[in-house]
Amino acid sequence: MPLQSIEPRRLYRQIAEQLRGLIRGGEYPVGARLPPERDLAVQLKVSRPSVREALIALEVEGLVEVRMGSGIYVIHPQPGASAARVESALSPFEIIRARQLIECELAALAAANKKHAIIAAACATRWR
């Protein structure tokens, strides 16, 4: 019998899957506040960065909202949010870095193709 490839699952995906199941199962209804990252990390016996990355994935998915200084809250699923975006081979941090590289390059190309007079006029108008 030939060996079959095993697809390793990243830790943050496993954490996100557990939290997603609890949210969808009603353990954390809409409006409920999730435990703090520190408590989740202790309960799951994982690092806080792994929990943080899982929460970012759930936020990108549209299941939770992070309110600075207040906590993480379950929200109504957002229309157009898709788990498929999160299920790619890249982590949210890798996606953000890739976007930075691409968007900066696109901005540079756009600026290089603008006429100098248009740029000068735009800068003059903006900085008056």
Side-chain angles (χ1 to χ4, degrees):
M1 174 168 78
L3 292 175
Q4 295 182 7
S5 64
I6 297 173
E7 188 176 321
R9 291 187 39 202
R10 294 188 177 192
L11 184 58
Y12 84 91
R13 287 186 182 179
Q14 294 175 44
I15 297 167
E17 187 176 296
Q18 280 192 46
L19 292 173
R20 188 182 306 109
L22 291 171
I23 291 169
R24 292 193 174 140
E27 183 73 26
Y28 295 107
V30 172
R33 183 174 172 224
L34 294 179
E37 284 179 11
R38 177 180 53 251
D39 295 350
L40 289 171
V42 169
Q43 289 174 359
L44 295 167
K45 295 183 173 93
V46 296
S47 68
R48 284 181 69 183
S50 294
V51 171
R52 189 173 302 121
E53 197 167 355
L55 293 171
I56 290 169
L58 293 176
E59 185 178 24
V60 169
E61 225 175 289
L63 289 177
V64 299
E65 175 183 43
V66 178
R67 299 180 193 162
M68 295 303 289
S70 181
I72 301 116
Y73 294 85
V74 178
I75 59 173
H76 287 287
Q78 301 297 313
S82 171
R85 288 185 288 172
V86 179
E87 293 300 320
S88 71
L90 301 174
S91 75
F93 296 118
E94 292 168 323
I95 293 170
I96 290 168
R97 180 66 181 134
R99 285 189 59 188
Q100 286 175 330
L101 293 171
I102 293 167
E103 290 171 3
C104 289
E105 186 63 25
L106 289 174
L109 288 171
N113 290 323
K114 284 287 186 183
K115 295 194 184 280
H116 293 290
I118 295 172
I119 294 172
C123 290
T125 304
R126 175 174 272 197
W127 301 109
R128 284 187 200 177

